[in-house]
Amino acid sequence: MITTRFAPSPTGRLHLGHAYSAALGHERARELGGRSLLRIEDLDQTRCRPGFVDGIVEDLDWLGIDWDAPTIVQSQRTGAYDEALQSLMARGLVYACFCTRADIAQSLSAPHGDAPSAYPGTCRLLPQDPQRRASTPHCWRLDSAKALHLAGLPSWTEADGARFTAAPHEIGDAILARKDAPASYHLACVVDDAASDVTLVVRGADLRSSTPTQRLLQSLLGLAEPSYLHHALITHAGGRRLAKRDLAPTLAAMREAGVNGRALARSLLAGELPLGFAWSEA
Ligand code: GLU
């Protein structure tokens, strides 16, 4: 049975691009008699606000999207992420990294549009020092060289059947957790996709760069392989990306302006955009 999920982070109001992503996953599941799930990715406590969760639920309801299971909330599932991290640690696939706060801080959320950070591996060869770990902020990184040696280069299938194999430079020593945060986006995402039997990951093309790392983690953790639909993005007509701080394309603003949410979802699925917006492949 097909299972899709929409996995927003409550760091702002949803915009047109989220509406398309949610509607597309929902439609795929409905067409094939499968399940569509909602997951709130709220692990990055510095950026997420509980108030945005209510807004997300309201917006999705306005679009006419319904769900087949109770909403999954990542901040309530930290034990599962820790278990996965421990199993990677036990196999020597993870090391503590003490690089600057700024290096480490940028790391917990989904890296929209960015290539994986080319971390130079500064801390990879440090001797393991529990005392330093107890007193110093640090994160946990995947030893990607070891991981690739063990699992080989990851590959994945897109929903149209095309098979891709990652290039080595697409995989870095990804951050998996931080001393003060139970899991990064990558780790929580693969653990949750597997726990809810997600078979088709529907998300924007700006998250395609996350797929090699996530496929690698799935192999290492022995998790089932979903297929992927990385869909076109919606931008402003001039090509500028939609940002959560822009007011115009938020679904809340459209609702207040009297737009019909169900009709909007239908037209997005038919490839029609409101005036002032454009499709973009990346
Ligand atoms: N939570 C991510 C976001 O903010 C999406 C993750 C995913 O779909 O894999 O867009």
Side-chain angles (χ1 to χ4, degrees):
M1 184 176 50
I2 178 177
T3 300
T4 62
R5 82 326 189 252
F6 177 57
S9 303
T11 56
R13 294 305 298 245
L14 298 185
H15 57 55
L16 213 48
H18 297 111
Y20 178 57
S21 203
L24 189 59
H26 183 256
E27 183 192 50
R28 286 294 164 117
R30 288 287 167 271
E31 273 170 2
L32 297 167
R35 299 184 312 145
S36 122
L37 310 177
L38 175 62
R39 178 168 83 222
I40 301 294
E41 299 207 327
D42 61 345
L43 290 178
D44 187 351
Q45 294 294 330
T46 55
R47 298 178 58 229
C48 295
R49 299 279 172 275
F52 288 132
V53 177
D54 299 338
I56 287 172
V57 169
E58 251 170 60
D59 291 344
L60 293 166
D61 190 50
W62 171 73
L63 291 166
I65 295 178
D66 57 352
W67 310 103
D68 300 302
T71 305
I72 299 146
V73 179
Q74 289 194 325
S75 56
Q76 295 171 5
R77 290 188 31 79
T78 56
Y81 313 137
D82 193 50
E83 211 175 288
L85 183 68
Q86 297 298 331
S87 94
L88 296 172
M89 277 177 182
R91 284 183 285 155
L93 293 167
V94 174
Y95 62 91
C97 167
F98 301 92
C99 290
T100 66
R101 275 167 194 276
D103 280 352
I104 295 175
Q106 49 76 21
S107 57
L108 288 183
S109 301
H112 293 272
D114 298 339
S117 73
Y119 176 68
T122 322
C123 294
R124 194 185 303 133
L125 298 175
L126 290 181
Q128 290 302 302
D129 180 352
Q131 247 176 11
R132 181 168 182 204
R133 285 208 301 270
S135 61
T136 319
H138 60 273
C139 67
W140 295 103
R141 284 188 189 268
L142 178 68
D143 185 330
S144 60
K146 263 194 199 168
L148 286 170
H149 184 71
L150 204 70
L153 278 175
S155 48
W156 72 95
T157 305
E158 291 280 337
D160 64 2
R163 185 91 185 153
F164 291 86
T165 298
H169 73 264
E170 291 180 289
I171 295 172
D173 285 4
I175 293 182
L176 300 181
R178 215 164 59 186
K179 189 181 177 204
D180 60 341
S184 67
Y185 158 64
H186 291 308
L187 182 64
C189 180
V190 299
V191 168
D192 283 347
D193 283 343
S196 33
D197 297 317
V198 169
T199 59
L200 178 64
V201 171
V202 176
R203 60 187 176 199
D206 55 347
L207 284 170
R208 193 185 276 118
S209 60
S210 295
T211 302
T213 301
Q214 294 184 3
R215 285 287 303 120
L216 180 60
L217 288 173
Q218 285 160 354
S219 299
L220 296 170
L221 292 166
L223 305 175
E225 173 183 354
S227 54
Y228 292 83
L229 199 175
H230 294 109
H231 59 73
L233 304 177
I234 299 174
T235 64
H236 292 280
R240 188 165 56 85
R241 286 182 58 150
L242 306 185
K244 281 191 170 152
R245 60 181 179 281
D246 288 346
L247 272 186
T250 64
L251 303 182
M254 291 184 188
R255 187 169 65 230
E256 266 164 42
V259 172
N260 178 319
R262 287 170 188 258
L264 174 68
R266 276 196 300 276
S267 22
L268 292 175
L269 290 173
E272 293 155 18
L273 292 176
L275 221 60
F277 298 96
W279 293 104
S280 142
E281 278 309 314

